[in-house]
Amino acid sequence: QIPGFQGMQACIFRVDSSISVRTWRFVIYYIYGVDVDQEATRLARSAKELLELVRACCMYSLPTPILSFAEASLCNLLSSVPASLALEAFVLAQEYGDERLRALREDAAYWVVRGWHDLLREGRQVNEPACILSTALGMIEAVLRQRAGGTPQKPSCSRV
């Protein structure tokens, strides 16, 4: 029961702490049909919040249009974000293994490989670095093979 509201009930739903209030507010606005244009414009410029939105979509099985918006917007920003954020995006896309995250996984793989030296220079601690790098390179190779008309092969290391 909600105090002061006769006959209404509520359910408390805890959202993972890795998802900010602003990001979750966008989700709620979208689901309840509130005009999200202004929020979407703001969100589309923040790679960190877009990554949170992708994570929320995967964790809570949110509607595909939200995931598509987050993925497309994040892919557009990957060229201008630190390598550590591209790595986070790559690991997240690999972790959930959702086929809908294919574009994000492939784009992030490219930016991880391209920025690998930055990660090392920053002293970034990466779990299983050889496996991540091998998987990213394998993914890039598969994309290039596919574009060349060959048969794509799965990356050899799948523990990422």
Side-chain angles (χ1 to χ4, degrees):
Q1 284 288 4
I2 302 175
F5 292 91
Q6 203 69 1
M8 290 188 76
Q9 294 184 353
C11 175
I12 295 175
F13 182 81
R14 290 214 182 273
V15 176
D16 190 270
S17 62
S18 65
I19 300 164
S20 70
V21 172
R22 285 171 52 147
T23 301
W24 193 251
R25 185 180 305 128
F26 173 81
V27 170
I28 296 301
Y29 283 4
Y30 179 87
I31 289 173
Y32 288 104
V34 176
D35 183 21
V36 293
D37 289 344
Q38 189 176 10
E39 276 293 299
T41 301
R42 180 197 56 76
L43 198 63
R45 292 187 297 251
S46 171
K48 183 180 176 291
E49 288 182 85
L50 287 167
L51 192 57
E52 290 174 5
L53 188 55
V54 170
R55 182 175 285 113
C57 288
C58 293
M59 291 174 81
Y60 301 112
S61 301
L62 297 177
T64 300
I66 297 177
L67 179 61
S68 297
F69 161 74
E71 181 188 37
S73 299
L74 186 54
C75 284
N76 285 333
L77 294 178
L78 282 177
S79 64
S80 61
V81 301
S84 56
L85 206 134
L87 174 64
E88 230 180 295
F90 178 68
V91 171
L92 177 70
Q94 280 293 103
E95 183 179 303
Y96 283 98
D98 190 326
E99 186 54 35
R100 296 176 302 170
L101 295 175
R102 181 177 175 199
L104 178 61
R105 196 169 30 253
E106 291 172 354
D107 284 2
Y110 171 78
W111 292 108
V112 164
V113 170
R114 185 163 180 197
W116 194 257
H117 62 284
D118 290 332
L119 292 169
L120 297 176
R121 191 176 334 125
E122 292 170 6
R124 168 84 183 206
Q125 292 297 318
V126 179
N127 291 336
E128 301 186 29
C131 187
I132 290 173
L133 192 55
S134 169
T135 303
L137 285 168
M139 192 157 296
I140 293 167
E141 182 182 5
V143 168
L144 293 174
R145 271 184 210 266
Q146 191 174 20
R147 286 185 182 168
T151 13
Q153 298 173 341
K154 284 201 162 208
S156 58
C157 186
S158 59
R159 291 190 318 227
V160 175

